[in-house]
Amino acid sequence: MLNGIGDFLSSGSSWMFFIFALLAIGGAIFMISFTKVIHMVISLALTFISLGGLYVILEAEFVAFVQVLIYAGAISILMIFGIMMTKHRQGEEEEPRRPWHEGLAIVGSLALFGVIFYAIQKTKFVATGAFDAGKDNTMEIGKLLYNEHVIPFEIMSVLLTVAFIGAIIIAKREED
Amino acid sequence: MGSIVTPYLTLAAILFCVGLYGALTKKNGVIVLLSIELMLNAVNLNLVAFSKLGDHPALTGQIFSLFNITIAAAEAAVGIAILITIYRNKGTSDVNEMDSMKR
């Protein structure tokens, strides 16, 4: 990666990638390091939005808008609802630290990152064909969804309905 | 040996590992769910990146990432519902205190 960094920084989309990647990693790191839960959710919303920007760079406009609508909108608000419905004692955040646990988690995450990074660097990715996004990304995705992938699509909608009804029934207060 | 898809994969790996660390160490159940969402997002970034810059560029990667987003939304809804029920029954949202199957 270090060899091609000059070429990488020479075009505009690479700069946009750099900015969005910085925002995404920054949001994730802030999510880890903040202590108040609301701040964590807001900083992770920043990560979600910048990932949407990355999707625009990758010519996936429909996925980008879905990302902003569902992740930055729905899931963040759902998490904030979850925080509001459960009480959080702010003062007791700094109770017994578990140094072994956290240290092992850091070591494990870094080891996983090392393995993935090594594999990415070792692999030669060849682009055989040019990407054809079509004139209208949303229309192409719609055609694919309703022709080739129509059965997974319908199964997905059934699954979503079942999951939401189940969520409502689980969270419903049992009065009697 | 840098390809143009390499930065995206590296970014996704970083996000995935940060999410993994958060899911393993955080005590609040809502934050654990958020970290899992972050890991799912990293995987989605990989899918979309390969859909444009991979070996056989096609729109199918974006379709698969859309399915992935749907599953993530369902998982978040059910997870929050379970957390609210646990909080109502046991009065805690700390994942360390949800150990009634261990005792």
Side-chain angles (χ1 to χ4, degrees):
Chain A
M1 191 172 87
L2 293 179
N3 296 336
I5 205 152
D7 301 336
F8 183 69
L9 290 181
S10 59
S11 74
S13 71
S14 303
W15 275 105
M16 291 310 288
F17 168 80
F18 192 66
I19 293 171
F20 280 127
L22 214 60
L23 281 176
I25 296 176
I29 296 294
F30 275 130
M31 192 273 283
I32 292 299
S33 59
F34 277 152
T35 51
K36 292 188 174 164
V37 276
I38 293 284
H39 296 173
M40 290 176 172
V41 177
I42 301 292
S43 64
L44 205 64
L46 174 69
T47 300
F48 291 155
I49 292 176
S50 44
L51 279 174
L54 286 174
Y55 294 160
V56 172
I57 295 176
L58 286 169
E59 297 181 47
E61 290 90 4
F62 184 69
V63 183
F65 279 102
V66 166
Q67 166 87 11
V68 171
L69 280 178
I70 293 188
Y71 273 108
I75 289 187
S76 302
I77 297 300
L78 190 68
M79 293 296 172
I80 290 178
F81 260 107
I83 290 169
M84 301 285 179
M85 301 283 278
T86 59
K87 198 174 64 183
H88 298 287
R89 299 148 297 182
Q90 307 267 340
E92 287 183 67
E93 282 299 320
E94 299 298 326
E95 50 178 295
R97 311 285 297 177
R98 299 163 298 166
W100 271 103
H101 184 99
E102 299 209 353
L104 283 180
I106 287 180
V107 169
S109 303
L110 284 181
L112 178 67
F113 176 71
V115 170
I116 298 176
F117 190 72
Y118 180 73
I120 291 171
Q121 294 299 319
K122 283 304 243 186
T123 315
K124 286 193 180 71
F125 297 106
V126 282
T128 49
F131 178 61
D132 181 24
K135 269 186 184 167
D136 190 344
N137 182 248
T138 312
M139 192 161 138
E140 299 295 327
I141 284 181
K143 280 181 187 166
L144 269 180
L145 265 185
Y146 283 101
N147 288 314
E148 280 180 49
H149 308 282
V150 64
I151 293 178
F153 180 72
E154 297 296 338
I155 293 175
M156 192 67 59
S157 49
V158 171
L159 180 103
L160 201 60
T161 314
V162 168
F164 283 151
I165 292 176
I168 291 171
I169 289 179
I170 289 174
K172 195 176 51 144
R173 194 182 299 270
E174 292 164 23
E175 299 291 348
D176 38 5
Chain B
M1 261 310 132
S3 158
I4 196 65
V5 76
T6 316
Y8 290 98
L9 301 187
T10 313
L11 171 66
I14 291 173
L15 288 182
F16 189 89
C17 292
V18 171
L20 179 67
Y21 173 74
L24 286 180
T25 55
K26 292 294 171 188
K27 287 184 296 186
N28 192 333
V30 180
I31 302 302
V32 173
L33 274 181
L34 263 185
S35 303
I36 294 173
E37 295 295 329
L38 184 59
M39 291 160 76
L40 286 166
N41 254 301
V43 176
N44 277 339
L45 180 62
N46 264 3
L47 289 175
V48 177
F50 275 121
S51 138
K52 184 182 179 212
L53 306 166
D55 204 347
H56 297 286
L59 274 179
T60 322
Q62 300 183 14
I63 305 268
F64 194 56
S65 76
L66 284 176
F67 285 161
N68 218 341
I69 289 175
T70 319
I71 295 293
E75 174 250 328
V78 176
I80 286 291
I82 291 175
L83 272 181
I84 288 174
T85 311
I86 288 178
Y87 179 74
R88 191 175 294 143
N89 287 335
K90 311 191 81 171
T92 178
S93 63
D94 189 343
V95 288
N96 289 324
E97 294 173 23
M98 300 176 191
D99 53 357
S100 59
M101 293 182 85
K102 214 163 72 175
R103 283 185 292 196

